[in-house]
Amino acid sequence: VLYLIAINPLKLWILKRIQGWDHLVSFLLFINFLEIIGYTAVIYFMGGIEATYLTILYATTIASVGSVSQRHHTFLVAGICILAYNAMILLEGANLIPWYKVIPDFHLPWSHRLTRMLVVDALMLLIAYITSYTAILLRKAKGDLQSAYAVLEQRVAERTKELSKANEELQS
């Protein structure tokens, strides 16, 4: 948690100094990667497979990227989340990393562990799809609204010009 808090001031400092869109996107993807590593550590130390409820941290990261970024970035971040989560669960299940049991008698057979893992993976991909699709719709609606505003502004200018001309004729 301290790691996640510590990267924010540095992130904000660097964001103020970045020049160019490509550098900004690359940096933000790197920050997302660091956040995912931090979230994976939080989930792992809170119980690993027992802490599946904490995968909402991944979901918020995917949704925030999906709402402001391009579609392929959203799925890239979702893929990194899936990879990190699956690696943690599989390494924990194979006893390659210690299992931090919150509930001492908690035990999940491999079939349940894999099922839970696949469900979380599917939900992360679903979140990536929904947020990126919604962002596309919102961008389209924003473009439509801006073009409608431009047309309306043009009509108002034309009508104002007509009214000014009619007013001049009345005064003369």
Side-chain angles (χ1 to χ4, degrees):
V1 172
L2 292 175
Y3 159 78
L4 292 170
I5 293 170
I7 65 173
N8 281 322
L10 180 62
K11 176 175 82 171
L12 293 173
W13 182 80
I14 293 172
L15 281 174
K16 287 181 178 180
R17 286 155 181 76
I18 287 184
Q19 301 288 326
W21 181 253
D22 291 338
H23 291 108
L24 178 66
V25 169
S26 300
F27 176 72
L28 289 176
L29 285 173
F30 176 70
I31 290 296
N32 290 137
F33 175 73
L34 293 178
E35 288 172 342
I36 291 166
I37 298 302
Y39 295 152
T40 305
V42 168
I43 293 169
Y44 173 67
F45 288 114
M46 294 297 289
I49 193 74
E50 292 179 61
T52 300
Y53 64 92
L54 289 174
T55 56
I56 192 72
L57 297 170
Y58 292 141
T60 56
T61 301
I62 294 167
S64 67
V65 170
S67 63
V68 297
S69 191
Q70 296 175 359
R71 189 178 194 118
H72 65 278
H73 291 155
T74 307
F75 284 98
L76 177 65
V77 168
I80 295 169
C81 289
I82 289 169
L83 184 66
Y85 179 74
N86 291 351
M88 177 196 59
I89 298 303
L90 293 173
L91 291 172
E92 182 184 78
N95 291 324
L96 295 174
I97 57 176
W99 189 355
Y100 290 96
K101 288 188 174 187
V102 177
I103 304 169
D105 60 344
F106 183 83
H107 176 71
L108 270 181
W110 269 103
S111 61
H112 292 216
R113 184 181 301 267
L114 292 175
T115 302
R116 186 178 282 194
M117 197 172 67
L118 291 174
V119 167
V120 169
D121 294 350
L123 288 173
M124 284 192 261
L125 288 173
L126 182 65
I127 290 166
Y129 175 76
I130 290 171
T131 56
S132 63
Y133 184 71
T134 303
I136 289 169
L137 292 177
L138 287 174
R139 285 186 206 113
K140 183 182 179 313
K142 182 181 177 184
D144 293 346
L145 188 60
Q146 286 174 336
S147 62
Y149 181 76
V151 168
L152 183 60
E153 221 173 38
Q154 182 183 4
R155 285 184 184 170
V156 167
E158 289 172 1
R159 295 292 280 172
T160 303
K161 187 176 177 181
E162 290 173 10
L163 287 173
S164 295
K165 186 178 177 182
N167 193 20
E168 287 175 11
E169 288 177 4
L170 281 173
Q171 286 191 6
S172 65

